[in-house]
Amino acid sequence: MPKPTYTKPFYFLFLVLPTGISSGFVTVTLPYLLTHRGFSVTAATIIAAAGVSANIWRFVWGPLADLTLTLRKWYGIAVLATIITLLALCFIHFNPKDTILLTVLVFVSQVAGTFVMLPVGGFMANRIEAHHKGRASGWFQAGNVGGTGLGGGVGLWLASHYNITIAAIGLCVMCILSGLVVLLIQDVASDKEKSFEGELGLMGKDLLEMIKIPIVLFVIILILLPIGSGAANNVWSAIADDWKASADRVALVTGIVGGIVGGVGSIAGGFIADRFGNWVAYLGIGVLCALVTVIMALLPYHPDVYTGGVLAYNFTTGMAYAAFSSMLLYAIGKKNASTKYSLLSSFGNLPVMYMTAFDGWIHDKHSSKYMLVAEAVVGILFVLISAVVLKRMMMKKLVPEIVE
């Protein structure tokens, strides 16, 4: 067996770009185009939410990457599938009558995106030295956020200035070029001694063990609640006309600039979690997210307000996502950490999915103002409930500093 050759952490910036590009196209470019072709905001957001829901199930097919082909082969297949589904989205008619077909295709495209993540995680575990794993994780998140900016911002700009086919081809070229970096990383063979059924059984066993611990059960419930979900990020492009924001402005603030601001917010959120603790960070940032949302709802509906509001929302959402990750690391402990992190991170995508659909429904029933206020009220309500429960658990000494 050849001695493993460690790779450079910044490679992961490029490896994860195809996933971000595909996600950005589905959650930013596509809703904008759909609402300008006869789809309601509700329909557009439900389609986007269907795509987001693919992340909920990724733990189910996660063992495939470890138990069958090599990681490089899986990565190549996943990038190819991402490209094919991205192109397919551009060659169907955007007709409200074809909503079901479009929804299915969007879901399949995001399943392909989750498959890109699987081998990338394996490469990080096997081809990065222990003292560089944090650095690699940082590049990984930068690629994920940056890819979303490319898929959303660049995709929308190309689609609005040229056409959706040109946009898809341009994004696919980006996926191919970034994916070639995998050739610079030593391959990782599958583990033939384990079985797919056995790995799924292990996941189930770990989940049962986790929920026996009161504080871990509380964390699982907490991440299922709509606190700092950032769901409006999947709606901004669809409702941009309410602020009279142009396609170029939408592409800018929901794309590259929004991605950069969100990345800075993530760094800030991680600092807050380390400085003040997971509970203060997660619940406090949840309140901050709600306040930003309310302020945007109350300000005049002007393009500049759209720009400032969306960027502020991106910043606080980045903070919330960092606090979310810190909360998961607290809950999973050290035993079978990869399996448990995969499970809980999948659960954490549920609020994004149902709140995206909720936002679209409130918008069409009332307006953008009521949508933003409703999202904020729901978030603050569950922050207050969670704070009360947490305080009682602390009084009963059910909140350890470290979960074993």
Side-chain angles (χ1 to χ4, degrees), residues 225-379:
L225 302 177
I227 299 173
S229 66
N233 281 327
N234 299 328
V235 186
W236 291 133
S237 64
I239 63 176
D241 286 347
D242 293 348
W243 284 265
K244 298 180 175 58
S246 67
D248 287 348
R249 184 184 291 263
V250 175
L252 184 66
V253 299
T254 62
I256 299 298
V257 176
I260 293 173
V261 170
V264 174
S266 295
I267 295 172
F271 172 80
I272 291 172
D274 286 342
R275 178 67 177 80
F276 299 101
N278 291 319
W279 308 115
V280 172
Y282 194 76
L283 298 179
I285 292 172
V287 173
L288 184 60
C289 289
L291 290 177
V292 167
T293 308
V294 169
I295 291 172
M296 186 176 180
L298 298 178
L299 289 174
Y301 278 57
H302 185 275
D304 291 341
V305 173
Y306 180 84
T307 299
V310 171
L311 292 181
Y313 189 91
N314 281 348
F315 183 83
T316 54
T317 298
M319 294 174 68
Y321 288 172
F324 168 82
S325 296
S326 180
M327 186 70 69
L328 292 195
L329 292 176
Y330 165 79
I332 63 177
K334 296 181 179 180
K335 183 181 178 182
N336 298 317
S338 296
T339 298
K340 290 186 282 189
Y341 189 89
S342 176
L343 281 167
L344 295 192
S345 62
S346 294
F347 293 161
N349 283 284
L350 272 169
V352 183
M353 181 187 70
Y354 67 70
M355 285 302 294
T356 297
F358 174 79
D359 281 353
W361 178 72
I362 292 294
H363 176 277
D364 284 353
K365 286 287 184 180
H366 301 284
S367 66
S368 292
K369 178 180 292 186
Y370 284 100
M371 182 201 86
L372 294 173
V373 171
E375 180 178 302
V377 169
V378 169

Side-chain angles (χ1 to χ4, degrees), residues 7-14 124 127-129 132-140:
T7 193
K8 298 178 180 179
F10 79 88
Y11 285 174
F12 292 91
L13 168 71
F14 302 99
M124 289 180 68
R127 294 295 179 255
I128 292 292
E129 294 176 277
H132 285 162
K133 288 187 183 294
R135 192 181 306 174
S137 298
W139 285 111
F140 172 88

